[in-house]
Amino acid sequence: KFLFAVLNDFLTPIRERRAYFEAHPEEVIAALTEGTEEARKTAAATLADVKEAKQIDYFERWEREYK
């Protein structure tokens, strides 16, 4: 009984948040969209760094060196 009470107290706020987001799917979609945009920016920057390090950034290198 004690364990049940402790777990229930611990899980109550989590259940409340889940119910809130279930009732407000537009907030979930907005958060996912924002996170996706940030992740794409970070991934693009990382990929550019990798391409430069491996010297396979042909078009970017051309722009920097010859224009």
Side-chain angles (χ1 to χ4, degrees), residues 4-61:
F4 176 76
V6 170
L7 284 173
N8 204 29
D9 289 344
F10 177 77
L11 293 174
T12 297
I14 296 170
R15 291 179 181 135
E16 290 171 354
R17 283 189 59 140
R18 189 198 63 79
Y20 173 81
F21 286 121
E22 186 176 20
H24 299 90
E26 66 280 351
E27 289 187 34
V28 175
I29 298 299
L32 291 173
T33 302
E34 182 179 331
T36 300
E37 291 172 3
E38 290 179 25
R40 283 186 178 143
K41 289 177 187 174
T42 302
T46 301
L47 187 56
D49 290 345
V50 170
K51 285 183 175 182
E52 184 177 355
K54 294 185 67 107
Q55 297 181 356
I56 55 174
D57 58 340
Y58 308 115
F59 301 111
E60 294 83 2
R61 187 177 302 271

